[in-house]
Amino acid sequence: MNRYENVIAHSGGQVVSSNKVLKNTYLLLSATLGFSALMAVVSMAIGVPPIAYLVAVIAAMVLGIFVLPRTANSTSGIGVIFLITGLLGFGLGSILSMYLALPNGPQVIATAFAGTGIIFLGLSGYALTTKRDFSFMGGFLFAGMMVVVLAMIANIFLQMPALSLAVSGGIILIMSGFILFDTSRIIQGGETNYIMATYGLYLSIFNIFISLLQILGIMGGDD
Amino acid sequence: MEWMQILGVVAGVMMLFVLWPAYKHWSANSPKAEKGDWQAVLLPLAAVVGLVALLIMAVK
């Protein structure tokens, strides 16, 4: 086999491998989203208080930081990702119950759900068809996320609706960027672990949904 | 409400602890953007902004 055949064989192998990661990621992502939705329904049926959302987010974050990276290369990683997404879904249920109590709550939830689906499918389709490498955005996205988190912490004390809207808008844009970034990393072979890839995409979808809910809840109210 | 605020701050600070090493890694190791790269990002992001505006009008 000469040098050129070697290069072709190598890149062909990489394409097969990244396609496998992509397929497994989307399969696991659909399963975790379904499980999350189920846990949200359970939480709504039980009538969990709103504080459960923050407790679930913190517990999921601890698992995502300390447990998932250590288990992602084994089958136990699948159990951990279901635990994380189940917790987030359970916490989400308490938020959805609050929105359902609003006069136009069901419409806001349905619109946010449809919007999140369109954004995710549209951006994933775009990243998959252009096959462009979006990893140049890495530093920019993480810096943007840190600015948004700082604004979020400040708004816990300031309680400014305009800042809350700006933070939600910023999160939607940054998470949209992360969908392009994560998808292109899978295609380019930068992410070879489908459990970690699923975790990244799931968090983007979850954050877009929560932020859309907040924006539509504020803007959709009576003037 | 006080507990909600404390938990919110705890979650935010934890997020910053997670984001900082990732930011340092990617700002040091990200490839430089080539011509047309940012345009390829801004186009779909503008579409997202348009969609959100449409959704807001739909729930008004």
Side-chain angles (χ1 to χ4, degrees), chain A residues 79-100:
Chain A
V80 175
I81 191 123
F82 271 99
L83 184 60
I84 292 172
T85 53
L87 269 171
L88 289 172
F90 191 77
L92 181 66
S94 63
I95 300 286
L96 292 179
S97 299
M98 275 168 53
Y99 276 92
L100 279 175

Side-chain angles (χ1 to χ4, degrees), chain A residues 51 54 58 62 65 107 111 115 119 123 126 132 134-139 142-143 146 149 156 176 181 185 219 223, chain B residues 4-5 7-9 12 14 18-20 22-23 26 30-31 33 36-38 40-41 44-45 51 55-56 58-60:
Chain A
I51 198 161
L54 279 175
I58 291 174
V62 169
I65 299 165
Q107 191 199 357
T111 312
I119 291 172
L123 292 174
Y126 179 76
R132 202 180 265 269
F134 289 109
S135 57
F136 68 92
M137 291 196 294
F142 283 104
M146 279 171 41
V149 171
I156 290 173
S176 299
F181 175 77
R185 261 172 48 78
M219 304 297 279
D223 296 311
Chain B
M4 290 283 274
Q5 285 182 327
L7 283 177
V9 173
M14 275 178 73
V18 178
L19 289 168
W20 177 247
Y23 163 70
W26 281 105
S30 286
D37 274 352
W38 278 111
V41 172
L45 290 190
L51 176 72
L55 295 177
I56 291 170
V59 294
K60 275 252 180 210

